[in-house]
Amino acid sequence: MHNQSLKLGVDLNGLTLHNPITVASGTFGFGREYSEYIDLNQIGAISVKGLTLEPRSGNEGIRIVETSMGMLNSVGLQNPGVHAFIKKEIPFLRQYQTKIIANINGNNIEEYCEMAQILSNEDVDSLELNISCPNVKNGGLAFGTNPEVVKEVVSKVRKHAKKHLIVKLSPNVTDIKAIAKIVEEEGADCIALINTLSGMAIDIYKRKPVLNRISGGLSGPAVKPVALRMVYEVAQTVKIPVLGMGGISNTTDAVEFLLAGATALAIGTANFANPKVTAEILNGIETYMRTYQYDDINQLIGDLR
Amino acid sequence: MHNQSLKLGVDLNGLTLHNPITVASGTFGFGREYSEYIDLNQIGAISVKGLTLEPRSGNEGIRIVETSMGMLNSVGLQNPGVHAFIKKEIPFLRQYQTKIIANINGNNIEEYCEMAQILSNEDVDSLELNISCPNVKNGGLAFGTNPEVVKEVVSKVRKHAKKHLIVKLSPNVTDIKAIAKIVEEEGADCIALINTLSGMAIDIYKRKPVLNRISGGLSGPAVKPVALRMVYEVAQTVKIPVLGMGGISNTTDAVEFLLAGATALAIGTANFANPKVTAEILNGIETYMRTYQYDDINQLIGDLR
Amino acid sequence: MKFQGLVRIISKKEINNEVFTLCVERPKAIESIKAGQFFNIKTSAYGSPMLRRPISVSSYDEDSIEFTIKVIGDGTKQLHQYEVNEKIDIMGPLGNGFEYSNEQEILVIGGGIGIAPVKGLLEVLKRENPNIKVTTILGFKDEPYLEETFKALSDTLKIVSETDSRYQKGFVTEPLKTIIGKPFQMTYACGPTPMLKAITPVLNAAEMPVQLLMEEKMACGIGACLVCTCKIKEGDFGYKHQRMCKDGPMFYGSEVIFDA
Amino acid sequence: MKFQGLVRIISKKEINNEVFTLCVERPKAIESIKAGQFFNIKTSAYGSPMLRRPISVSSYDEDSIEFTIKVIGDGTKQLHQYEVNEKIDIMGPLGNGFEYSNEQEILVIGGGIGIAPVKGLLEVLKRENPNIKVTTILGFKDEPYLEETFKALSDTLKIVSETDSRYQKGFVTEPLKTIIGKPFQMTYACGPTPMLKAITPVLNAAEMPVQLLMEEKMACGIGACLVCTCKIKEGDFGYKHQRMCKDGPMFYGSEVIFDA
Ligand SMILES: Cc1cc2nc3c(=O)[nH]c(=O)nc-3n(C[C@H](O)[C@H](O)[C@H](O)COP(=O)(O)OP(=O)(O)OC[C@H]3O[C@@H](n4cnc5c(N)ncnc54)[C@H](O)[C@@H]3O)c2cc1C
Ligand SMILES: Cc1cc2nc3c(=O)[nH]c(=O)nc-3n(C[C@H](O)[C@H](O)[C@H](O)COP(=O)(O)OP(=O)(O)OC[C@H]3O[C@@H](n4cnc5c(N)ncnc54)[C@H](O)[C@@H]3O)c2cc1C
Ligand SMILES: Cc1cc2nc3c(=O)[nH]c(=O)nc-3n(C[C@H](O)[C@H](O)[C@H](O)COP(=O)(O)O)c2cc1C
Ligand SMILES: Cc1cc2nc3c(=O)[nH]c(=O)nc-3n(C[C@H](O)[C@H](O)[C@H](O)COP(=O)(O)O)c2cc1C
Ligand code: FES
Ligand code: FES
């Protein structure tokens, strides 16, 4: 039934996916756990858990707060480090036809560059420069919200990245278009957005912020309207393709992002509620395409009237 | 049962309220409609529908999209104009012991000043400078997100405003603390936040943005974590009191905002689901105060451990 | 004070596999109801969807209020899951409702679930004036429902359907053409906006007064938030935006501007 | 492939006014279950709350799985509204579960709703070895429940309550003191974190091995998102963060670091 004459492949400016549905970094581990619930071959690409040069134990204390149709997380980039990823996780993921996107995170610009360098020689399909993580002290959000720093980090990493390079933006900015333009100018192949919105919760019984680091990253359906607006704005602004995400949970959401101009989509938080959501959305998109008589997904992308 | 020895009065730096629960501009009209469902005397203050110098018909087309635990609105400041407000609405509201906050909106700085001037001579308790409305072409959001413009508009309006002056901030900024500091420096008596987040929705059947003006303002429980984070940040930054709002829907939310440092709260979107929510929250706060042995609400404000 | 609170469900009836009725106890606090008014109903105690859903009164008496509801999305699905004796949070009655005053001969036009408030209207009119002459036109996309009910309430009943071949095929405008100009004192209509938009110029041209019961997405439902509008001829701006929920949902065909 | 999907509710039973059981059909696809494992359950078809709720298996056989649930907030309230024959979306079994291997004499400690998985464990152990000697300590805040069930599953049963004066007053640590050092081959414990934190040093000091079934807020429930952690002694950082949902929820008392 799948693919029956429908063309679903997309090209993110050098990174080709057999369908536009990817999973968002940090929500899908390295694919192992979800492989017991869903055929990973059905997923266009997997952006793996955010990697750092050295292993990280992540943040202490409570790491999650459920909010109204959303969640705050404060994982703090717990990961086994880039070398363990290369050794243990790439071979696992290569069993599947899904593309591998390595999400990279540095404490400073040099670390970003070093990781880009290392991974350029490894069997991954794309590097996703995460300059937008709100949950670590150094780097992350600070990089992603200051236009000058964005310029510097992207231009330097570009020199070391011999692979397809995605830059993932923070939504916690006044003007996402300006940041996107800089990222395009500095040579990124693709822009991913949005990372999480910075948010907070207080435990009224303990009278303390729930999260040790006070604020965390908001994701899930709650943020979708903001994400869609930013994806639309960026798609209107840059020529490089956009990998859209933020609260996508069902077919309607997915089609909205495609119509807004995203060439591919990432599903994050929605996997937690429904481990098969990626396949269901792909199916739903195909039905939509049949109903509205698109035979190539690329016709649908940005097709607002 | 109410007030049984509990002190609920707060002072927003010159604007005293008999309790900290107010209603947010644009969600409560001029109080008339809700007066049939709830005793307006129970509400600390009413911020009236955003006023402009001349009457406005508001935006064309669909004005609302329901989103996951939130809504996008694009009302576009439909209002009868400041003069009709003075003539017809102030006398109505003065029947109650609730304070009157006049929410003012200009197409340019001169209009803001003119409105401040006019209302300074009228029987209102406070002026709320809305430099954050996302739903109009001129003014609004553009004012609220540019620090230099914020500085100019607040300093000029301050000169014309002979009343208590609240400045209401837009959350669509990289650094809310910087904006808040400017507002404080330029002489505002109080800071209100957040206004709505800028968001979007697409009608996948018509393949068009649902709202004529493409984006609208997101409010409701979905935005609460972002609002709480910003209220906390601003309360940590400025000395003038904060009027906190954004998604407050129940007692837990309200107590979180108080603990985060808000001196008073505004309830907006939650009124739509429950017209008695303000009274219920006030009740809930009293119960919380008894449980945690506060006899004055002012002890609770900012009381994070 | 107006009513907002919990009421007990007295009965529930499936009309077809999409449409059902809920009948609730009428609270003492509600002194009067008019046909064409609606209630804003909280569909879930757990927040989502956040907003209430406006549902017209499809019948009422001293002790009860009936709603006839079509399942569309999550909100109406949740309403469908309520069972007899459970309580539901309603708010109202809201809106202006139909204006009726002793007409002797009327035309009513209902489309789809828009027949619900029309049914409520005809019941009241028949109660107040058993001799009233009623011509009814109903239009459905698929298989008609409540046919027997409307037969009993009408002197003449015409039903059209877009797909059900046992009925005249097409839209309500077809039977309307054949009776346009007859001496109805009033026409009452409720249905999807495209239907109202189609019949209004026809009736206006024939100088037949028509009351349109209209629809818009709502939030507060009481006129406070200004998210629901009806564009009305004349006014401060060459037109004006009235509130669908408070100034409507009934507007006269002669005053409404239908935009694209 | 592991199981995630809809299962039919076979029976529902109220234990007291806060606690109830749901028994569901065991899908064929689930080959094995271990006591101490849990399922991640979608409480609402309408989105809110968005996340699933982890609930331990309190009993199982070839045809059915039982959950014993305490109503706390919206999620568990929604679970309570399900009726027999309705279907519910479950995912699992998840986590490591208890490790059991032919012990002859064991101690089990349950606190509050933490008695649910302990019940499941005892049923399995008794099934596999009817001669096993079981000493059980249960602690409740208020009135105890499932007392008869545990009487039947235990050779010695001690119950404490913080408020119900018909029982020994206090916490499980009181009766624990009196039997500490007895030759139990294994202790199994489940209850609120403060209880586990209180008993662990006592058991560790007596060199009594203990399996703790622990709790943390979860999102994915399968080990992918890293929001649920258990801090474990030793590892790359002088300690390491293990995943409560995947590497746990059972950890040995000797390996856990209890932070403030
Ligand atoms: C004054 C008033 C009175 C009313 N009276 C009644 C009444 O008596 N009985 C009654 O049943 N209803 C009545 N309605 C309508 C009723 O309020 C809505 O049907 C209800 O709010 C829908 O809520 P929902 O949550 O079920 O659907 P929602 O989730 O709000 O959404 C609509 C669904 O339709 C889908 N959809 C939207 N557009 C399209 C499209 N172009 N093509 C295909 N699918 C689409 C969406 O995906 C969604 O699933 C009235 C409305 C008003 C304003
Ligand atoms: C592995 C595992 C197994 C589990 N097994 C079971 C089981 O078998 N049976 C079972 O019943 N539960 C079990 N639980 C716990 C269960 O998952 C939770 O009770 C459930 O997720 C609560 O969801 P909820 O939506 O009902 O409550 P939530 O809405 O998530 O919230 C908790 C409520 O408690 C209130 N609250 C929070 N902190 C305080 C405080 N300090 N004082 C007062 N009120 C407070 C909040 O306001 C809220 O209303 C298990 C948990 C785990 C991790
Ligand atoms: C638990 C969790 C962990 C995350 N970790 C990362 C990460 O390591 N790197 C990254 O770029 N984004 C991370 N994100 C952000 C997501 O990739 C995504 O941008 C965001 O959640 C919005 O999408 P969603 O609403 O579909 O989840 C994380 C999100 C969640 C919920
Ligand atoms: C329908 C609607 C209209 C609004 N109109 C105004 C307005 O005129 N002036 C203003 O300052 N804020 C306006 N707001 C913003 C609210 O006052 C408030 O800042 C925002 O909705 C966040 O609070 P809430 O989530 O509790 O609604 C409006 C909000 C809504 C939902
Ligand atoms: S819904 Fe608020 S004014 Fe109509
Ligand atoms: S809940 Fe996702 S790792 Fe445990």
Side-chain angles (χ1 to χ4, degrees):
Chain A
M1 211 199 76
H2 267 274
N3 288 17
Q4 197 186 58
S5 90
L6 293 180
K7 294 210 182 88
L8 293 172
V10 295
D11 179 357
L12 287 173
N13 198 12
L15 174 69
T16 57
L17 310 180
H18 65 81
N19 77 55
I21 305 300
T22 78
V23 289
S25 177
T27 66
F28 215 75
F30 300 100
R32 282 180 196 278
E33 295 80 14
Y34 278 105
S35 72
E36 299 187 304
Y37 293 90
I38 188 171
D39 179 3
L40 300 187
N41 291 308
Q42 293 191 287
I43 297 174
I46 292 177
S47 176
V48 301
K49 175 62 202 169
L51 301 167
T52 52
L53 206 49
E54 304 298 327
R56 278 179 66 105
S57 64
N59 290 335
E60 305 271 314
I62 292 173
R63 291 181 174 186
I64 181 174
V65 191
E66 187 167 9
T67 65
S68 290
M69 289 309 276
M71 59 178 268
L72 289 165
N73 89 78
S74 181
V75 171
L77 289 174
Q78 176 175 341
N79 81 98
V82 68
H83 296 291
F85 163 69
I86 292 166
K87 215 170 120 195
K88 295 196 206 140
E89 306 299 345
I90 295 179
F92 170 78
L93 284 167
R94 271 297 175 241
Q95 300 172 272
Y96 302 93
Q97 63 164 317
T98 186
K99 294 289 166 79
I100 305 174
I101 301 175
N103 183 273
I104 63 179
N105 301 267
N107 281 314
N108 48 51
I109 295 187
E110 292 67 43
E111 276 189 23
Y112 276 111
C113 292
E114 192 176 341
M115 292 189 70
Q117 185 93 50
I118 293 169
L119 285 162
S120 286
N121 299 316
E122 301 297 336
D123 187 18
V124 298
D125 300 296
S126 175
L127 307 179
E128 184 175 52
L129 188 65
N130 180 16
I131 50 170
S132 46
C133 182
N135 293 328
V136 291
K137 225 180 290 176
N138 302 314
L141 197 51
F143 283 94
T145 58
N146 181 329
E148 274 134 55
V149 181
V150 170
K151 191 178 163 81
E152 189 184 349
V153 67
V154 177
S155 87
K156 290 201 170 146
V157 169
R158 177 72 278 185
K159 297 202 182 78
H160 293 83
K162 305 284 176 284
K163 301 253 179 189
H164 182 264
L165 180 65
I166 300 170
V167 176
K168 184 164 176 183
L169 306 188
S170 168
N172 302 293
V173 296
T174 307
D175 186 358
I176 195 80
K177 301 187 291 300
I179 307 261
K181 247 200 178 111
I182 292 170
V183 166
E184 179 179 42
E185 281 162 11
E186 297 307 324
D189 297 310
C190 173
I191 290 177
L193 77 167
I194 62 171
N195 208 312
T196 52
L197 280 167
S198 179
M200 180 178 177
I202 290 173
D203 181 332
I204 66 164
Y205 309 105
K206 298 194 181 138
R207 284 169 281 182
K208 279 187 183 151
V210 180
L211 304 172
N212 281 3
R213 299 181 46 72
I214 297 176
S215 66
L218 184 65
S219 64
V223 309
K224 196 206 82 175
V226 174
L228 185 68
R229 189 260 300 175
M230 289 190 167
V231 163
Y232 174 81
E233 286 182 353
V234 170
Q236 299 277 312
T237 303
V238 299
K239 293 202 184 66
I240 55 176
V242 171
L243 171 55
M245 71 188 85
I248 301 175
S249 310
N250 55 42
T251 301
T252 304
D253 296 339
V255 172
E256 284 186 77
F257 275 78
L258 291 168
L259 288 169
T263 300
L265 311 174
I267 320 283
T269 302
N271 291 296
F272 306 156
N274 177 5
K276 294 166 187 151
V277 69
T278 43
E280 286 176 14
I281 287 177
L282 187 60
N283 238 294
I285 291 175
E286 293 178 63
T287 305
Y288 181 87
M289 286 174 67
R290 291 207 177 83
T291 309
Y292 288 85
Q293 300 176 345
Y294 293 101
D295 34 58
D296 186 335
I297 188 110
N298 292 286
Q299 297 158 356
L300 169 56
I301 294 162
D303 191 28
L304 284 178
R305 269 84 212 272
Chain B
M1 211 200 75
H2 268 275
N3 289 19
Q4 193 186 58
S5 88
L6 293 180
K7 294 209 182 89
L8 294 171
V10 294
D11 180 356
L12 288 171
N13 197 11
L15 175 68
T16 57
L17 311 180
H18 64 82
N19 76 55
I21 305 300
T22 78
V23 288
S25 175
T27 66
F28 215 76
F30 300 100
R32 281 181 196 276
E33 295 81 13
Y34 278 104
S35 72
E36 299 187 304
Y37 293 89
I38 188 170
D39 178 3
L40 300 187
N41 290 308
Q42 293 190 284
I43 298 174
I46 292 176
S47 175
V48 301
K49 174 63 202 166
L51 301 167
T52 52
L53 207 47
E54 302 299 326
R56 279 179 64 104
S57 64
N59 290 336
E60 303 271 314
I62 293 173
R63 291 180 174 186
I64 181 174
V65 191
E66 186 167 11
T67 66
S68 290
M69 289 309 275
M71 60 178 267
L72 289 165
N73 88 76
S74 181
V75 171
L77 290 174
Q78 176 175 340
N79 82 96
V82 68
H83 296 289
F85 163 70
I86 292 166
K87 214 170 121 195
K88 295 195 206 142
E89 307 300 344
I90 295 180
F92 170 78
L93 283 167
R94 272 296 175 244
Q95 300 173 270
Y96 302 93
Q97 62 163 319
T98 186
K99 294 287 165 80
I100 304 174
I101 301 175
N103 183 272
I104 62 179
N105 301 267
N107 280 313
N108 48 52
I109 296 188
E110 292 66 44
E111 277 189 23
Y112 277 110
C113 293
E114 193 175 342
M115 291 187 71
Q117 185 92 51
I118 294 169
L119 285 162
S120 288
N121 300 317
E122 301 297 335
D123 186 17
V124 298
D125 300 294
S126 175
L127 306 180
E128 184 174 53
L129 188 64
N130 180 15
I131 51 170
S132 47
C133 180
N135 293 327
V136 291
K137 225 180 288 175
N138 303 313
L141 197 51
F143 284 95
T145 58
N146 181 330
E148 273 134 56
V149 182
V150 170
K151 192 178 162 79
E152 190 183 347
V153 67
V154 177
S155 87
K156 289 201 169 147
V157 169
R158 176 71 281 183
K159 296 203 183 79
H160 294 83
K162 305 283 176 283
K163 301 254 178 186
H164 181 264
L165 179 66
I166 300 170
V167 176
K168 182 163 177 183
L169 305 188
S170 167
N172 302 293
V173 297
T174 307
D175 186 359
I176 195 82
K177 300 186 291 299
I179 306 261
K181 248 201 179 110
I182 291 170
V183 166
E184 180 179 42
E185 281 162 12
E186 297 308 324
D189 297 309
C190 172
I191 290 177
L193 78 165
I194 61 172
N195 208 312
T196 53
L197 279 168
S198 178
M200 179 179 178
I202 290 174
D203 182 331
I204 67 164
Y205 309 106
K206 296 192 183 139
R207 284 169 281 184
K208 279 188 184 150
V210 180
L211 304 172
N212 281 2
R213 300 179 45 75
I214 296 176
S215 66
L218 184 66
S219 64
V223 310
K224 194 207 83 176
V226 174
L228 184 68
R229 188 259 301 175
M230 290 189 166
V231 163
Y232 174 81
E233 286 182 353
V234 169
Q236 299 278 312
T237 304
V238 299
K239 294 203 185 64
I240 54 176
V242 171
L243 171 55
M245 71 189 83
I248 301 174
S249 310
N250 54 42
T251 301
T252 304
D253 296 339
V255 173
E256 285 186 77
F257 275 78
L258 292 168
L259 288 170
T263 300
L265 310 174
I267 319 281
T269 302
N271 290 298
F272 305 155
N274 176 5
K276 294 166 188 152
V277 69
T278 41
E280 286 176 15
I281 287 177
L282 187 60
N283 238 294
I285 291 174
E286 293 178 64
T287 305
Y288 181 88
M289 287 174 66
R290 291 209 175 83
T291 309
Y292 288 85
Q293 299 176 343
Y294 293 100
D295 35 56
D296 185 336
I297 187 106
N298 292 288
Q299 297 158 357
L300 170 55
I301 293 162
D303 191 29
L304 283 179
R305 269 87 212 269
Chain C
M1 289 286 146
K2 285 212 176 163
F3 184 79
Q4 177 265 317
L6 293 169
V7 294
R8 193 174 66 86
I9 296 169
I10 310 172
S11 70
K12 180 181 171 182
K13 206 166 69 198
E14 307 292 332
I15 304 289
N16 64 26
N17 61 2
E18 286 181 332
V19 180
F20 67 102
T21 62
L22 281 185
C23 190
V24 303
E25 260 174 18
R26 174 174 172 167
K28 297 270 169 298
I30 298 180
E31 284 166 23
S32 75
I33 303 183
K34 266 173 82 184
Q37 286 190 308
F38 66 95
F39 282 78
N40 218 2
I41 305 184
K42 188 91 189 84
T43 62
S44 162
Y46 300 102
S48 182
M50 176 183 79
L51 296 174
R52 290 168 180 265
R53 296 292 185 259
I55 302 289
S56 302
V57 172
S58 66
S59 184
Y60 67 90
D61 60 23
E62 306 223 317
D63 302 317
S64 69
I65 305 168
E66 181 199 76
F67 303 107
T68 303
I69 303 166
K70 182 174 173 185
V71 174
I72 300 276
D74 280 356
T76 47
K77 256 185 231 158
Q78 289 174 339
L79 288 177
H80 190 229
Q81 290 189 338
Y82 278 91
E83 300 294 345
V84 171
N85 284 329
E86 289 187 306
K87 292 195 165 181
I88 186 166
D89 179 346
I90 70 171
M91 174 172 174
L94 303 174
N96 54 0
F98 289 118
E99 286 176 4
Y100 33 91
S101 58
N102 256 26
E103 289 92 1
Q104 301 304 310
E105 182 157 10
I106 62 164
L107 172 62
V108 303
I109 306 175
I113 193 63
I115 68 173
V118 170
K119 167 176 165 286
L121 173 72
L122 288 182
E123 287 177 2
V124 175
L125 294 183
K126 285 261 169 187
R127 207 145 64 199
E128 293 185 355
N129 173 11
N131 296 320
I132 188 168
K133 269 199 74 188
V134 176
T135 302
T136 302
I137 305 176
L138 303 181
F140 297 90
K141 191 158 194 146
D142 302 311
E143 191 181 336
Y145 47 89
L146 292 179
E147 184 172 352
E148 292 308 313
T149 308
F150 275 92
K151 235 179 222 161
L153 290 166
S154 314
D155 298 281
T156 310
L157 173 64
K158 306 191 188 210
I159 298 186
V160 299
S161 165
E162 294 174 46
T163 61
D164 189 335
S165 58
R166 290 169 299 175
Y167 297 82
Q168 184 180 340
K169 196 180 172 90
F171 300 100
V172 294
T173 38
E174 296 304 312
L176 177 59
K177 267 186 217 154
T178 68
I179 53 175
I180 199 86
K182 292 220 173 138
F184 300 110
Q185 285 158 286
M186 184 56 71
T187 300
Y188 298 94
C190 183
T193 307
M195 178 192 109
L196 299 181
K197 190 176 170 178
I199 63 170
T200 300
V202 178
L203 292 160
N204 284 352
E207 292 187 3
M208 291 169 67
V210 56
Q211 297 184 24
L212 308 171
L213 202 67
M214 300 180 73
E215 238 193 79
E216 269 291 338
K217 279 264 170 200
M218 294 178 180
C220 72
I222 62 174
C225 72
L226 308 183
V227 304
C228 70
T229 57
C230 184
K231 203 166 171 180
I232 292 293
K233 290 170 190 165
E234 296 169 23
D236 287 356
F237 310 93
Y239 64 92
K240 70 179 173 213
H241 282 133
Q242 295 236 44
R243 298 163 298 181
M244 191 61 83
C245 64
K246 177 86 177 178
D247 306 313
M250 189 285 286
F251 292 95
Y252 281 92
S254 54
E255 56 181 349
V256 174
I257 302 174
F258 285 97
D259 278 340
Chain D
M1 288 285 143
K2 287 210 175 165
F3 184 78
Q4 178 264 317
L6 293 170
V7 294
R8 192 175 66 86
I9 295 169
I10 310 170
S11 70
K12 180 181 170 181
K13 207 167 67 200
E14 308 291 333
I15 305 289
N16 63 26
N17 63 359
E18 283 182 334
V19 180
F20 66 102
T21 64
L22 281 185
C23 190
V24 302
E25 259 173 15
R26 173 172 172 168
K28 297 271 169 297
I30 297 180
E31 284 165 24
S32 73
I33 303 183
K34 267 172 83 185
Q37 287 191 307
F38 65 94
F39 283 79
N40 218 0
I41 305 183
K42 188 90 190 83
T43 62
S44 161
Y46 300 102
S48 183
M50 175 184 79
L51 297 174
R52 289 169 181 265
R53 295 293 186 259
I55 302 289
S56 303
V57 173
S58 67
S59 183
Y60 67 91
D61 60 23
E62 307 222 317
D63 302 318
S64 69
I65 306 169
E66 182 200 76
F67 303 107
T68 302
I69 303 166
K70 181 171 174 187
V71 173
I72 299 275
D74 280 355
T76 46
K77 254 185 231 159
Q78 287 174 340
L79 288 177
H80 190 228
Q81 290 189 338
Y82 277 91
E83 299 295 345
V84 173
N85 286 327
E86 288 188 306
K87 293 195 165 184
I88 186 166
D89 179 348
I90 70 171
M91 174 172 174
L94 303 174
N96 54 1
F98 288 118
E99 287 175 4
Y100 33 91
S101 57
N102 254 28
E103 288 93 2
Q104 301 303 310
E105 182 157 11
I106 61 165
L107 171 63
V108 302
I109 307 175
I113 192 63
I115 68 173
V118 170
K119 167 174 165 287
L121 173 73
L122 289 181
E123 287 177 2
V124 175
L125 294 182
K126 285 263 168 187
R127 207 144 64 197
E128 293 183 356
N129 173 10
N131 296 321
I132 189 167
K133 272 200 71 187
V134 176
T135 302
T136 302
I137 306 176
L138 302 182
F140 297 90
K141 193 160 192 143
D142 302 311
E143 189 180 339
Y145 48 89
L146 291 179
E147 182 172 354
E148 293 307 314
T149 307
F150 275 92
K151 236 180 222 161
L153 290 167
S154 315
D155 298 282
T156 312
L157 173 63
K158 308 193 186 210
I159 298 185
V160 299
S161 166
E162 295 174 45
T163 60
D164 189 335
S165 58
R166 291 168 299 173
Y167 298 83
Q168 183 180 340
K169 196 181 173 88
F171 300 101
V172 294
T173 38
E174 297 303 315
L176 177 59
K177 268 188 217 151
T178 68
I179 54 174
I180 200 84
K182 294 221 173 136
F184 300 110
Q185 286 158 285
M186 184 57 71
T187 301
Y188 299 94
C190 183
T193 306
M195 178 192 109
L196 299 180
K197 190 175 170 177
I199 62 169
T200 299
V202 178
L203 292 160
N204 284 351
E207 293 188 4
M208 292 170 66
V210 57
Q211 297 184 26
L212 308 170
L213 202 69
M214 302 182 70
E215 237 193 81
E216 269 291 337
K217 279 263 172 200
M218 294 179 180
C220 73
I222 62 173
C225 73
L226 309 182
V227 304
C228 68
T229 58
C230 184
K231 203 168 172 180
I232 291 294
K233 290 170 189 164
E234 296 171 22
D236 289 355
F237 310 94
Y239 64 91
K240 70 182 174 212
H241 282 132
Q242 295 236 46
R243 298 164 297 182
M244 190 61 83
C245 63
K246 175 85 175 179
D247 307 312
M250 189 287 285
F251 292 95
Y252 282 91
S254 54
E255 56 180 351
V256 174
I257 302 174
F258 285 97
D259 278 340

